[in-house]
Amino acid sequence: MNRETALLLVKEQLTEHRYLHTLGVTETAIKLADKYGADMKKAELAAIFHDYAKFRPKDEMKQIILEQGIPGNLLDFNNELWHAPVGAYLVEKEAGVKDIEILDAIRYHTSGRPGMTLLEKVIYLADYIEPGRQFPGVEEVRGLAENDLNVALVQAIKNTVSFLFKRNQPIYPDTFLTYNSLIESGRID
Ligand code: DGI
Ligand code: FE
Ligand code: FE
């Protein structure tokens, strides 16, 4: 699928603000893919579709999680996590994207997962540092992303976990498992 077709499909699913975020993620993902040697075309499509399910009704997302063998414990955690795996399912079903690497990059763009692929890391980080993002710590992660994808990713996860801690929110175990996996892979100082 080409960029224009994908953007048209996504635009009707999103608010203007979220669509602009998506354009920012797309440009950032292409740059990161180029820099770190991921497939730029897959990065482009995964980024365009990454928040496809963001505005689906909670009931519909819940039903998809229960029906599609998506880990059901997800329902016990923040519903902000749901749009990622539900998005992977809907992007295949409704937009006809079949590439499993693209679908997995969408699926794991919020929680991460242990042993993330290069493409998954690129999308996770692009989502975090795209130019429209403004929150404490984002500038530091942008700087780290210039030099080391894994170091930047760990910092982004730490910031997200701290953010959730401060708000007394539960943290999905895969977020910790992702952190552990990056630390254990020995590529972090
Ligand atoms: O969809 P976006 O707003 O672009 O960003 P996102 O897909 O990373 O998800 C939004 C939020 O989900 C993120 O800012 C923090 C929140 N969240 C809630 N619980 C968890 C969580 N994020 C992670 N990684 N782990 C959680 O347990
Ligand atoms: Fe998202
Ligand atoms: Fe996003």
Side-chain angles (χ1 to χ4, degrees), residues 18 21 50-51 54 77-78 80-81 83 109-111 124 127 133 160 163-164 169-172 175:
R18 184 61 43 175
H21 160 71
H50 84 283
D51 275 340
K54 189 83 179 173
F77 293 87
N78 197 322
E80 278 294 322
L81 292 159
H83 73 284
H109 87 264
T110 307
S111 64
Y124 188 108
D127 189 24
R133 295 289 210 195
T160 301
F163 171 88
L164 294 166
Q169 299 224 18
I171 294 163
Y172 190 53
T175 301

Side-chain angles (χ1 to χ4, degrees), residues 128-129 131 133-145 159:
Y128 193 86
I129 65 169
R133 295 289 210 195
Q134 294 168 1
F135 43 74
V138 70
E139 206 46 59
E140 183 190 5
V141 179
R142 287 189 182 115
L144 294 172
N159 291 352

Side-chain angles (χ1 to χ4, degrees), residues 78-113:
N78 197 322
N79 58 31
E80 278 294 322
L81 292 159
W82 301 356
H83 73 284
V86 170
Y89 170 74
L90 290 175
V91 165
E92 179 170 20
K93 185 168 167 245
E94 297 180 1
V97 173
K98 297 267 177 257
D99 187 304
I100 191 68
E101 292 180 43
I102 293 175
L103 296 176
D104 281 345
I106 298 168
R107 190 173 348 264
Y108 300 112
H109 87 264
T110 307
S111 64
R113 66 160 162 171

Side-chain angles (χ1 to χ4, degrees), residues 150-165:
N150 289 304
V151 171
L153 192 59
V154 166
Q155 192 58 46
I157 293 169
K158 283 183 178 176
N159 291 352
T160 301
V161 169
S162 301
F163 171 88
L164 294 166
F165 274 159

Side-chain angles (χ1 to χ4, degrees), residues 113-117 120-121 177-178 181-182:
R113 66 160 162 171
M116 285 170 87
T117 66
E120 288 163 19
K121 292 175 181 179
L177 296 179
T178 307
S181 139
L182 288 163

